[in-house]
Amino acid sequence: MVSARPAVQALPAYKPGRNPADLARELGVDHAVKLASNEVPFPPLPAVVQALSATAGETHRYPDNGAAVLTAALAERYGVAQEQVVPGCGAVMLCQQLTQSFNDPGTALAFAWRSFEMYPLLAQVAGARSTQVPLIPSVPGGAPDTHDLDALAAAVDETTRLVFVCNPNNPTGTAVRRAGLERFLDRVPGTTLVVLDEAYREFVTDPDVPDGLELMRGRPNVAVLRTFSKAWGLAGLRVGYLVAEDPAVADAVRRTHVPFSVSSLAQAAAVAALGSADEVARRVAAVVAERDRLTAALRGRGLQVPDSQANFVWLPLGEASAPTAAALEARGVITRPFAGEGIRVTVGTPEEDDVFLAALDAALDAALGSARDTAPDDVRTGTPVA
């Protein structure tokens, strides 16, 4: 009998968000609302649709393995050399390429926790140790929701080859600011690569949250990850990119690239999206405005919601997270629960968010009953319910 590696056998199966059409059929309703995967609620950009149509007739050919046109467009946009840019099949694939490029078995991969759920899995596959540094509250007395950069820097040792800093952090939406991040980067030894994972950078409105590409310059052990899946609306096409200050870092990641994994359709769509930056900015502004409205509505219900710099909000419901998410789903709203910690809710359209808010009121009542209205330390404060 052929057996997979023990590390692979021990991996949990990835569970994507439920299909809203399936849930609607199950519930016997016209439609369900999906607020679980951090997609933007807008249809593809018109220029993207045109590019896909024009490229469809070429799909009998392999795509450009080096994604030359996309690489050149990204290099021009960010003022870097093309040798510093590596497109990939989504930012997740680039994360995997990074661990393959820099982590030998027995070395360490460091990151905050909770953060992007793929980090520990990538370490496990690479045979590396996961150095997980707990989050700390962003406000006094709050639930843990933001990076402890001092502790993360202290956790880096001679075996640490790679550090991920998810900024804004997924799933909590919080972001670390310039002074703390600069201090952290200055503390990390040059033999450790720091990757600033900025999948949600376009949604940042806090002027004190730095652009990772600016901090990268002059620091050869820093690289930045971004994606077209979120603000640019290409989640279904899987294309992301890495920008590294040191071209040698980019070259190493390029060597672990799965040939032809960035499809011709994805490349054409990404180039077209970059040409529609003004429309993307307008869409992002609409998401941010709705994020602010949703945050205010949740806080108005007594929920402790941290300031989000992403296109989702975090509800630190503790032990009430899983039952509340299940109650929401029973009412036709799909969210992303993290058992024992919180629920991540994607910012949808105003209509979708109103459906969510109405379902949440009923779900909290169903999950907690009268305790929600009487207990001083219930989910309204983000304190886990015993």
Side-chain angles (χ1 to χ4, degrees):
M1 178 180 177
V2 178
S3 298
R5 293 170 49 213
V8 173
Q9 291 178 335
L11 287 174
Y14 178 72
K15 295 181 179 179
R18 289 202 63 181
N19 184 306
D22 290 342
L23 178 60
R25 283 193 294 271
E26 179 181 308
L27 297 176
V29 297
D30 291 337
H31 68 279
V33 173
K34 182 183 178 185
L35 301 176
S37 299
N38 299 341
E39 302 137 326
V40 291
F42 306 103
L45 295 157
V48 166
V49 175
Q50 293 174 8
L52 293 174
S53 178
T55 309
E58 303 171 12
T59 53
H60 62 300
R61 304 290 187 187
Y62 284 111
D64 173 14
N65 192 49
V69 176
L70 176 57
T71 299
L74 289 166
E76 180 179 1
R77 177 177 176 83
Y78 296 118
V80 297
Q82 294 185 34
E83 291 75 19
Q84 296 174 259
V85 179
V86 186
C89 184
V92 174
M93 177 62 79
L94 286 162
C95 288
Q96 180 171 316
Q97 290 174 241
L98 283 159
T99 58
Q100 290 174 330
S101 300
F102 295 100
N103 279 111
D104 285 316
T107 62
L109 169 63
F111 48 89
W113 196 252
R114 175 168 298 272
S115 191
F116 183 39
E117 59 194 300
M118 287 301 297
Y119 297 156
L121 304 184
L122 294 170
Q124 188 172 336
V125 170
R129 289 184 293 106
S130 286
T131 302
Q132 301 184 15
V133 177
L135 299 175
I136 58 176
S138 58
V139 295
D145 58 23
T146 196
H147 282 69
D148 184 345
L149 291 178
D150 289 336
L152 185 59
V156 173
D157 61 22
E158 66 278 1
T159 70
T160 309
R161 296 291 177 265
L162 194 60
V163 179
F164 283 110
V165 178
C166 191
N167 199 40
N169 187 48
N170 178 12
T172 61
T174 58
V176 294
R177 291 173 171 80
R178 181 178 302 275
L181 190 52
E182 287 181 337
R183 184 170 61 249
F184 169 78
L185 294 176
D186 290 342
R187 288 183 60 184
V188 175
T191 53
T192 298
L193 178 64
V194 178
V195 179
L196 304 178
D197 187 345
E198 297 188 333
Y200 301 94
R201 170 64 204 176
E202 290 84 356
F203 301 102
V204 171
T205 56
D206 184 342
D208 201 28
V209 176
D211 183 328
L213 291 168
E214 296 177 5
L215 296 189
M216 177 196 77
R217 300 181 196 276
R219 291 183 168 94
N221 69 324
V222 175
V224 176
L225 271 178
R226 292 189 182 171
T227 182
F228 285 94
S229 294
K230 309 305 182 187
W232 301 87
L234 302 185
L237 288 170
R238 309 305 302 134
V239 54
Y241 56 97
L242 175 135
V243 182
E245 175 68 0
D246 186 353
V249 169
D251 179 68
V253 175
R254 205 174 285 115
R255 289 171 185 269
T256 58
H257 170 74
V258 175
F260 310 117
S261 58
V262 184
S263 72
S264 54
L265 293 173
Q267 293 181 39
V271 171
L274 288 173
S276 302
D278 289 345
E279 174 59 25
V280 171
R282 285 189 288 270
R283 293 180 173 198
V284 166
V287 170
V288 168
E290 179 61 11
R291 178 185 74 195
D292 293 345
R293 185 186 79 92
L294 180 59
T295 299
L298 290 166
R299 289 175 177 170
R301 285 161 166 78
L303 291 162
Q304 187 183 70
V305 180
D307 291 334
S308 175
Q309 293 295 308
N311 70 328
F312 53 85
V313 296
W314 175 247
L315 307 184
L317 301 183
E319 294 303 322
S321 300
T324 301
L328 284 168
E329 190 167 303
R331 290 162 175 81
V333 179
I334 305 167
T335 59
R336 180 67 169 88
F338 296 81
E341 298 175 72
I343 300 176
R344 191 189 69 196
V345 184
T346 305
V347 177
T349 65
E351 295 77 15
E352 289 173 332
D353 291 340
D354 285 343
V355 171
F356 158 69
L357 290 168
L360 179 65
D361 289 336
L364 288 175
D365 286 335
L368 301 174
S370 61
R372 177 173 178 261
D373 298 315
T374 60
D377 292 321
D378 60 9
V379 297
R380 290 175 296 168
T381 64
T383 304
V385 175

